[in-house]
Amino acid sequence: MDYNQFVKEFYNYSTIDLNSYKEGQMKRRIDSHIRKYSINNYKDFLAVLKKDRDAYNTFLGYLTINVSEFLRDPRQWTNLEKEVLPKLIKPHKKLTVWSAACSTGDEPYTLAMVISKLLPTNQFRIIATDIDKEILAKAKQGIYPEKQVANLPIDMKNKYFKKTAEGYTISQDIKRCIEFRQHNLLKDAYPTQVDLIVCRNVLIYFTEEAKGKIYNNFSKALADDGVLFVGSTEQIINPAEYNLKGNKIFFYSKLK
């Protein structure tokens, strides 16, 4: 079984399309992972994935490249707080935010902390999604090591976290704002009428075709004056193709 056959068979089993990821990068990651099982071919590795659910979940977590931290790229979060969010907040309307590919939860929790400076917690909701069930379980726990909260100002740490022997635990007030769900960006239905979509440092791993499909779906998911917030390496070259326009750098508004 060659790599292309493995991708096909894995899709038939999991409905996860590895063809949507950049092939060279994905193949290197899979080849490296396979060696941990003392296996040297795709056929035997696929058999392990079908037989052993723990091995399957571990592999899925490895594929999704979960690298995250609180307040990553602080200047962009300042722009969100000072320039973008005030224009999205409307009287008598609950703000809806989607943190797509949320990994270990740093991003949706950061969003909740930032938005709570501007709105009471009962006036906004955050949908936080990821393809990886194990990562979502960690996100729901809301417990983080020192290195992941290193970028947070001391006042935010003191207000929103409790330091314990296990690490830094997020407050229940912030947890209550967030609904965690499993979601596959390439296959599942998207939320609708979303005011702000945050998907950062994820699409760099996808092919151009897959990115185009996701951007189109993000645009359709946004409310009429909604905004898409992307990562620092993910500027959209031709946003009008997806019914979007550049707002501030890394922020794109839906065209009316």
Side-chain angles (χ1 to χ4, degrees):
M1 179 184 289
D2 63 11
Y3 176 75
N4 290 331
Q5 185 64 26
F6 170 79
V7 168
K8 181 180 178 181
E9 294 293 331
F10 183 71
Y11 176 77
N12 290 340
Y13 176 68
S14 68
T15 72
I16 295 170
D17 187 4
L18 299 179
N19 279 320
S20 296
Y21 296 83
K22 293 176 180 175
E23 181 176 327
Q25 187 178 62
M26 186 54 64
K27 187 175 184 299
R28 284 193 299 273
R29 289 183 64 79
I30 292 171
D31 289 349
S32 172
H33 188 71
I34 284 175
R35 289 195 288 272
K36 295 179 181 179
Y37 292 85
S38 300
I39 290 171
N40 58 12
N41 66 79
Y42 296 118
K43 181 179 180 181
D44 289 349
F45 182 58
L46 185 64
V48 168
L49 297 180
K50 289 181 176 180
K51 181 176 64 176
D52 186 338
R53 198 65 190 176
D54 287 340
Y56 173 83
N57 288 331
T58 299
F59 178 57
L60 193 60
Y62 183 74
L63 288 181
T64 50
I65 314 170
N66 294 294
V67 177
S68 193
E69 63 189 42
F70 284 86
L71 218 64
R72 189 175 183 179
D73 304 315
R75 186 179 297 178
Q76 295 176 27
W77 287 98
T78 299
N79 285 337
L80 177 70
E81 178 187 345
K82 305 294 186 185
E83 305 291 336
V84 177
L85 283 171
K87 296 174 183 176
L88 294 177
I89 294 171
K90 304 290 192 302
H92 315 298
K93 181 181 182 295
K94 196 167 189 174
L95 187 75
T96 298
V97 180
W98 177 20
S99 174
C102 69
S103 188
T104 53
D106 313 49
E107 183 175 271
Y109 288 133
T110 300
L111 279 164
M113 289 185 285
V114 170
I115 297 170
S116 68
K117 294 180 182 181
L118 306 174
L119 282 175
T121 54
N122 65 353
Q123 290 185 23
F124 67 90
R125 71 178 185 123
I126 297 171
I127 304 162
T129 65
D130 201 275
I131 196 172
D132 186 340
K133 277 186 178 179
E134 289 192 343
I135 286 296
L136 286 172
K138 290 180 182 178
K140 288 177 185 178
Q141 287 180 334
I143 303 171
Y144 298 93
E146 170 73 37
K147 66 179 181 179
Q148 274 180 264
V149 300
N151 282 339
L152 282 174
I154 190 68
D155 60 326
M156 290 182 78
K157 278 187 197 178
N158 291 340
K159 183 174 183 180
Y160 298 113
F161 290 86
K162 182 179 180 181
K163 194 172 189 309
T164 66
E166 295 177 289
Y168 286 81
T169 302
I170 198 81
S171 75
Q172 287 299 319
D173 281 346
I174 292 300
K175 274 190 173 184
R176 279 193 287 268
C177 305
I178 301 167
E179 176 191 352
F180 288 97
R181 303 178 191 169
Q182 188 179 27
H183 184 271
N184 183 338
L185 284 169
L186 293 166
K187 181 174 75 75
D188 295 333
Y190 282 36
T192 58
Q193 294 300 305
V194 180
D195 298 300
L196 173 68
I197 297 174
V198 183
C199 186
R200 306 173 70 231
N201 309 305
V202 174
L203 298 191
I204 52 173
Y205 303 110
F206 287 91
T207 64
E208 292 303 313
E209 181 182 359
K211 280 195 285 190
K213 177 181 177 182
I214 292 169
Y215 285 140
N216 269 319
N217 286 334
F218 279 156
S219 180
K220 292 173 185 175
L222 286 170
D224 285 344
D225 55 355
V227 171
L228 171 64
F229 178 18
V230 301
S232 56
T233 60
E234 297 171 323
Q235 284 182 273
I236 304 174
I237 302 303
N238 186 18
E241 183 178 345
Y242 311 109
N243 201 38
L244 299 168
K245 65 176 179 179
N247 184 342
K248 294 183 70 67
I249 192 166
F250 313 122
F251 295 90
Y252 297 86
S253 299
K254 185 171 181 176
L255 288 169
K256 294 182 181 179

